[in-house]
Amino acid sequence: MDKLKITGGFPLHGEVEISGAKNAALPILIASILSSDQVDISNVPKLKDIDTTIRLLEFLGVSIDHSDGNVSLIANNISKTEAPYDLVKTMRASILVLGPLLSRFGRAHVSLPGGCSIGARPVDLHIQALEKMGANISIHNGYIDASTEHLSNKKLIGTKIFMDQVSVTGTENIMMAATLADGKTFIENAAREPEVEDLGNLLISMGAKIKGLGTDVIEIEGVAALNGSQYKVMFDRIEAGTYMAAAVVSGGEVKLKNVDPRKMESVIEKIKQTGADVIETSTGITIKKQHQPIKPVNIRTGVYPLFPTDMQAQFMAINVLADGPSEITETIFENRFMHVQELVRMGASIDVKGNTSFVKGVQAIDGANVMATDLRASASLVIAGLAAKGETIIERIYHLDRGYERIEEKLNKLGAKVERLN
């Protein structure tokens, strides 16, 4: 199993190209199920979760050509409507095949998904919404069985759906399902994340009729069929935020390329509060961190456009080295402080009470052997390792490979010393 060895103490300097967004690319690839025509997707990151999604789509019968960030998909010969456990056990986003399969083929047999152990992410919202659209759904032996065979034309029926809680994958699943439903579907309390909007824009390019993207009410009018398309995945705002955090703790000057600052305002504002200089352009962000102490930043996660839960761990690594105390409150997932004990091993001073971590900044931390517990926790340990004295060994970095493309290569180009150990 691979590990990362990081030798800390080297300021980062230079430019880094931010990859396509994992959280946009996954549903965009899955949306190819909705059409029998060719769908060409560019700026697809090379990640474990992307590989898992491609294997799943190929299992279903989608013809795929994949090279250098470009993926061509043709779903004109779907032979299965099942997503088996062995293919989806490592990835929560696999639940997104449920809506497209059901909407286009009238049936789906999808394993309850796996993924990071950061708290409950129930599929109830997906199931309840599809049932409201007329589907018959049951759960047996860890699988969701869904069908529209009993409906007169075997098609889902447009309706009003209120999401009891904001759910990105729930919004995406229902939005995809609704594109081929009879009539109009209204998703109220919909997720507003840029990745949801990116999926919606792909669907529109395929001929879907969608209004309200980026708002909390999305209207979808079903059409008879969707056509093919050519589409470029948006940048990964969480990867961008991670490199911003790395620049803050290590010092130096880093320019992020292929970034739209308008889509990550909450993160940029918090980076500025650390005392770093932030220069924004239409296509990039430059972070300058001089030698003055890091200012502590209080964080409270929330649904977009509030501060993203996926950046909470990275900012904890910043606050560990800040000049003063800070508080980080997690409101999205109930088990997302597993990185705390690993940071403490490196010399951090953190006290967790309920859903809030109280961080007392220290002047320095030491390299240590630590273990990654989930995707973003992995990133926090990398950031801490860049600033630590001596060597840090991070084990179980398969979590990291699920969401960060060529992270050691990108960091080394910026002047870090990171080595992958087999």
Side-chain angles (χ1 to χ4, degrees):
M1 192 175 296
D2 286 3
K3 306 176 183 180
L4 279 188
K5 181 175 77 171
I6 303 174
T7 304
F10 295 90
L12 302 184
H13 292 275
E15 298 181 345
V16 59
E17 185 84 18
I18 299 303
S19 302
K22 180 195 82 148
N23 290 341
L26 296 178
I28 282 174
L29 293 174
I30 289 170
S32 64
I33 294 172
L34 292 164
S35 173
S36 61
D37 297 335
Q38 182 166 319
V39 178
D40 296 322
I41 308 299
S42 60
N43 202 34
V44 178
K46 183 174 176 58
L47 302 169
K48 292 281 189 182
D49 279 8
I50 296 295
D51 293 339
T52 300
T53 299
I54 287 175
R55 288 200 305 272
L56 173 58
L57 292 172
E58 287 178 330
F59 174 83
L60 296 174
V62 180
S63 175
I64 299 178
D65 183 14
H66 182 204
S67 64
D68 297 327
N70 299 302
V71 183
S72 295
L73 310 98
I74 306 177
N76 63 350
N77 191 29
I78 294 286
S79 55
K80 301 181 183 71
T81 55
E82 174 189 2
Y85 174 75
D86 284 346
L87 280 175
V88 307
K89 61 186 178 182
T90 62
M91 189 180 69
R92 297 264 182 179
S94 57
I95 189 66
L96 289 171
V97 301
L98 177 62
L101 286 175
L102 184 61
S103 190
R104 184 175 169 203
F105 299 102
R107 60 190 182 280
H109 183 66
V110 178
S111 172
L112 293 170
C116 287
S117 301
I118 59 173
R121 288 189 272 189
V123 299
D124 297 9
L125 294 171
H126 307 242
I127 292 172
Q128 292 166 4
L130 290 170
E131 285 179 331
K132 197 166 184 183
M133 297 175 74
N136 273 344
I137 299 180
S138 60
I139 299 178
H140 299 287
N141 302 319
Y143 278 80
I144 303 168
D145 285 303
S147 172
T148 60
E149 298 288 334
H150 61 288
L151 299 176
S152 57
N153 59 1
K154 298 183 180 180
K155 295 187 71 172
L156 292 169
I157 302 166
T159 187
K160 283 189 177 182
I161 296 169
F162 179 82
M163 308 292 282
D164 287 339
Q165 64 186 74
V166 178
S167 167
V168 170
T169 55
T171 300
E172 291 171 338
N173 223 343
I174 303 312
M175 184 164 62
M176 287 191 283
T179 59
L180 299 178
D182 272 341
K184 290 184 179 181
T185 299
F186 297 86
I187 306 175
E188 299 178 350
N189 200 28
R192 300 163 58 187
E193 272 74 1
E195 294 80 10
V196 175
E197 192 170 353
D198 210 35
L199 171 63
N201 286 330
L202 163 78
L203 295 170
I204 290 171
S205 75
M206 295 170 67
K209 295 181 178 181
I210 303 175
K211 299 178 182 178
L213 292 173
T215 76
D216 60 358
V217 179
I218 300 177
E219 175 187 334
I220 309 104
E221 182 178 353
V223 296
L226 295 182
N227 48 257
S229 178
Q230 294 181 337
Y231 195 79
K232 181 180 179 180
V233 176
M234 68 170 283
F235 78 99
D236 194 317
R237 59 195 177 96
I238 305 304
E239 184 193 27
T242 299
Y243 283 100
M244 292 167 72
V248 170
V249 301
S250 70
E253 181 175 337
V254 176
K255 181 179 180 180
L256 312 180
K257 300 169 64 178
N258 185 34
V259 172
D260 182 353
R262 296 170 298 177
K263 290 182 168 60
M264 48 187 311
E265 291 178 349
S266 64
V267 173
I268 291 173
E269 178 57 31
K270 291 298 182 181
I271 288 288
K272 290 178 179 178
Q273 290 178 22
T274 69
D277 294 327
V278 181
I279 302 170
E280 303 175 40
T281 69
S282 60
T283 59
I285 302 172
T286 299
I287 309 298
K288 294 182 180 180
K289 185 66 181 77
Q290 305 305 324
H291 297 292
Q292 69 267 27
I294 298 171
K295 296 178 182 178
V297 179
N298 292 330
I299 299 290
R300 184 180 181 86
T301 64
V303 298
Y304 188 86
L306 301 179
F307 190 88
T309 179
D310 279 354
M311 282 299 304
Q312 174 257 108
Q314 297 91 315
F315 267 78
M316 187 175 290
I318 294 176
N319 280 336
V320 160
L321 290 160
D323 184 22
S326 59
E327 298 179 11
I328 297 179
T329 301
E330 173 60 54
T331 72
I332 306 298
F333 296 120
E334 74 277 9
N335 193 25
R336 207 166 200 181
F337 284 145
M338 291 188 291
H339 47 284
V340 168
Q341 59 187 2
E342 302 303 308
L343 291 171
V344 168
R345 285 174 54 81
M346 301 176 72
S349 177
I350 307 171
D351 185 23
V352 178
K353 294 182 180 179
N355 67 335
T356 299
S357 286
F358 298 87
V359 185
K360 182 180 179 181
V362 296
Q363 290 188 343
I365 55 175
D366 297 317
N369 281 59
V370 292
M371 183 176 296
T373 52
D374 64 68
L375 171 54
R376 306 308 173 185
S378 306
S380 75
L381 299 178
V382 170
I383 293 168
L386 293 172
K389 295 178 180 179
E391 289 184 353
T392 298
I393 303 293
I394 305 175
E395 301 187 30
R396 293 173 62 180
I397 62 166
Y398 58 84
H399 290 295
L400 197 68
D401 292 336
R402 290 183 50 233
Y404 291 93
E405 182 178 24
R406 300 180 291 108
I407 189 167
E408 68 270 28
E409 178 183 329
K410 290 184 177 183
L411 286 171
N412 286 335
K413 285 181 67 175
L414 293 173
K417 291 195 179 298
V418 183
E419 182 183 355
R420 182 177 290 257
L421 306 176
N422 297 118

